[in-house]
Amino acid sequence: MHSETMSKLRFKISMSLDGFVAGPGQSVENPLGIGGGRLHDWAFQLAEFRTLLGLEGGEVNESTPVVEESLANIGATVMGRNMFGGHPGPWNAGNPWDGWWGVNPPFHHPVFVLTHHARDPLELEGGTTFHFVTDGMEVALERARRAAGGKDVSLAGGAKAAQQYLAAGLVDEMEINLVPALLGSGERLFESVGDDLHGLELVRTVAAPKVTHLKFAKRLHQESP
Amino acid sequence: MHSETMSKLRFKISMSLDGFVAGPGQSVENPLGIGGGRLHDWAFQLAEFRTLLGLEGGEVNESTPVVEESLANIGATVMGRNMFGGHPGPWNAGNPWDGWWGVNPPFHHPVFVLTHHARDPLELEGGTTFHFVTDGMEVALERARRAAGGKDVSLAGGAKAAQQYLAAGLVDEMEINLVPALLGSGERLFESVGDDLHGLELVRTVAAPKVTHLKFAKRLHQESP
């Protein structure tokens, strides 16, 4: 289908100067790991993000249009199991945990969770339904594209899910929010991804307070001279 | 001495998006490792660099003033043994190798090489003399500061020497030339450096073809409000 072909897989993530997207010691209580919160200081100072979280205040700066762009035209999301909710293994059949996104998750569209453990869809408030996909990342992406209804699909992470899609060359756009700080250890984004960005080229750099936004995209062959 | 106190230690290096400053398989024949040359494509297209290498052509772009700044006001250099010339262990007493910088190295000032193996100074053409320092990185830096005559000291790398100075908080300015490509493996810049940039803050971002220049500097306490 034409509309499916045009639906892009878009990935955004905050990464430290030394390449980490989460600190060491990730847990259910501390999903970003030790020190991982520093990766998101730039976002929490934005009015745009504070409003999403129901907080007041915040500023408008060079990051604002980048964040607005990243949120626009998204019709579905794919994510890894850890990104939904961190405990490993089978779901607790009688009383499965509903993840750490709360009763009204910030997605407001279908979310496809990569997992080895089947589970019925989980419909929450505000239009977010989590679908649990056990037959692989390509199937999850296909289902997300169909559900997106002509809009794009967001790849929400975590690192392992992102690595799979990056290594397979399936990511069409990637926004690296590079944070000028070191974490020293933790989870690296570009681990086991190889040396090939599969045509993703740096197309825009935005210098903002506490972060540098690096946008990568595939050049369309039709646009080549 | 006041002039020594004001002499900054300045570090610049090209790093891939996944944090590598050299590819795998570094050797005397291939000092940048496999694929490591891709880190320097942005520089080799510059007229400024081509002139330094005795080549014609090249362009002037957003990188040019960054490179000019990095070359200005440098009175001495410190570097690791591998950066001088890659073979490990004691010098060959009868016929020690003179490194891979040629008979007229591009420094034109005193260069202090960190090594465990004593050797007489090596004076080459064009004002470059290599001094071999066996009593540690702090002594090498002191000697370089004195030799710089009020100018700054350049930290030329490689990664291991840079890591020592970074971890000790001795670097005053750092220019990361971030190359939007993956190497996948090789030598990481921020390995064993910890999670502390010791006051180095991102102070300037320059978007240029095939590279993003990220300048870090320590804010002077006198300038604080």
Side-chain angles (χ1 to χ4, degrees):
Chain A
M1 260 177 63
H2 185 68
S3 63
E4 282 177 44
T5 311
M6 297 300 290
S7 170
K8 293 176 183 166
L9 181 60
R10 290 160 47 189
F11 173 51
K12 64 173 192 285
I13 199 160
S14 293
M15 183 178 89
S16 66
L17 184 64
D18 50 350
F20 295 102
V21 293
Q26 284 177 277
S27 65
V28 171
E29 293 75 27
N30 196 2
L32 300 173
I34 296 163
R38 294 163 68 198
L39 296 175
H40 303 280
D41 285 347
W42 68 272
F44 283 115
Q45 72 190 359
L46 289 184
E48 174 107 14
F49 258 104
R50 298 183 69 84
T51 303
L52 277 180
L53 298 168
L55 301 170
E56 292 187 358
E59 60 185 59
V60 173
N61 64 29
E62 292 84 351
S63 293
T64 302
V66 175
V67 169
E68 285 172 348
E69 181 188 80
S70 76
L71 296 171
N73 198 42
I74 298 292
T77 290
V78 291
M79 63 170 60
R81 160 71 180 269
N82 287 343
M83 195 77 183
F84 167 75
H87 76 90
W91 308 105
N92 182 339
N95 183 23
W97 186 43
D98 289 350
W100 43 46
W101 295 98
V103 292
N104 188 353
F107 302 100
H108 312 297
H109 56 227
V111 177
F112 295 83
V113 180
L114 298 169
T115 173
H116 296 293
H117 305 282
R119 176 172 170 178
D120 286 337
L122 174 66
E123 188 177 344
L124 295 171
E125 292 175 20
T128 299
T129 298
F130 290 99
H131 301 271
F132 300 89
V133 182
T134 55
D135 36 10
M137 65 166 182
E138 296 194 4
V139 170
L141 178 55
E142 266 175 50
R143 290 183 59 186
R145 283 210 164 107
R146 246 174 297 155
K151 293 186 176 181
D152 292 337
V153 175
S154 168
L155 171 55
K160 286 192 177 50
Q163 286 157 9
Q164 290 180 52
Y165 285 105
L166 284 167
L170 292 170
V171 175
D172 298 297
E173 285 188 16
M174 173 172 77
E175 186 93 49
I176 303 284
N177 304 309
L178 189 76
V179 174
L182 303 180
L183 289 191
S185 59
E187 193 160 27
R188 290 188 204 274
L189 176 58
F190 295 108
E191 191 75 62
S192 312
V193 172
D195 63 355
D196 190 351
L197 279 175
H198 297 278
L200 288 172
E201 296 179 25
L202 181 61
V203 295
R204 187 187 66 193
T205 301
V206 174
K210 300 186 181 175
V211 67
T212 303
H213 303 285
L214 303 169
K215 181 179 179 179
F216 293 75
K218 291 189 178 178
R219 290 194 199 284
L220 297 174
H221 291 299
Q222 299 91 304
E223 290 180 356
S224 297
Chain B
M1 258 176 65
H2 186 68
S3 64
E4 284 176 40
T5 311
M6 297 300 291
S7 171
K8 292 176 184 167
L9 181 61
R10 289 160 48 190
F11 174 51
K12 64 171 190 288
I13 199 160
S14 293
M15 184 177 89
S16 66
L17 184 64
D18 51 350
F20 295 102
V21 293
Q26 283 176 277
S27 65
V28 171
E29 294 75 26
N30 195 1
L32 300 173
I34 297 163
R38 295 162 68 198
L39 296 175
H40 304 280
D41 284 347
W42 68 271
F44 283 113
Q45 71 189 0
L46 289 184
E48 174 107 15
F49 258 103
R50 298 182 69 82
T51 303
L52 278 179
L53 297 169
L55 300 171
E56 292 186 0
E59 59 185 61
V60 173
N61 63 29
E62 292 83 351
S63 293
T64 302
V66 175
V67 169
E68 285 173 350
E69 183 188 78
S70 76
L71 296 171
N73 198 42
I74 298 292
T77 290
V78 290
M79 64 170 59
R81 160 71 180 269
N82 287 343
M83 194 77 184
F84 167 75
H87 77 90
W91 308 104
N92 181 339
N95 183 23
W97 185 42
D98 288 351
W100 42 45
W101 295 98
V103 293
N104 187 353
F107 302 101
H108 312 299
H109 55 227
V111 178
F112 295 84
V113 180
L114 299 169
T115 172
H116 296 293
H117 304 283
R119 176 173 171 178
D120 286 337
L122 173 66
E123 189 175 345
L124 295 171
E125 293 174 18
T128 299
T129 298
F130 289 100
H131 301 271
F132 300 89
V133 182
T134 56
D135 35 11
M137 65 166 183
E138 297 194 5
V139 169
L141 178 56
E142 266 176 48
R143 289 183 61 187
R145 282 210 163 108
R146 246 174 295 155
K151 292 186 177 181
D152 293 336
V153 175
S154 168
L155 171 55
K160 287 193 177 48
Q163 286 157 7
Q164 290 180 52
Y165 284 105
L166 283 168
L170 292 169
V171 175
D172 299 296
E173 284 187 17
M174 173 172 76
E175 186 93 49
I176 304 285
N177 305 309
L178 189 75
V179 174
L182 303 180
L183 290 190
S185 59
E187 193 160 28
R188 290 188 204 275
L189 175 58
F190 295 109
E191 191 75 63
S192 311
V193 171
D195 63 355
D196 190 351
L197 280 175
H198 296 280
L200 288 172
E201 295 179 26
L202 181 62
V203 295
R204 187 187 65 194
T205 301
V206 174
K210 300 185 182 177
V211 67
T212 303
H213 303 286
L214 303 169
K215 180 178 178 178
F216 293 75
K218 290 189 177 178
R219 291 195 197 282
L220 297 174
H221 290 300
Q222 297 92 304
E223 290 179 358
S224 297

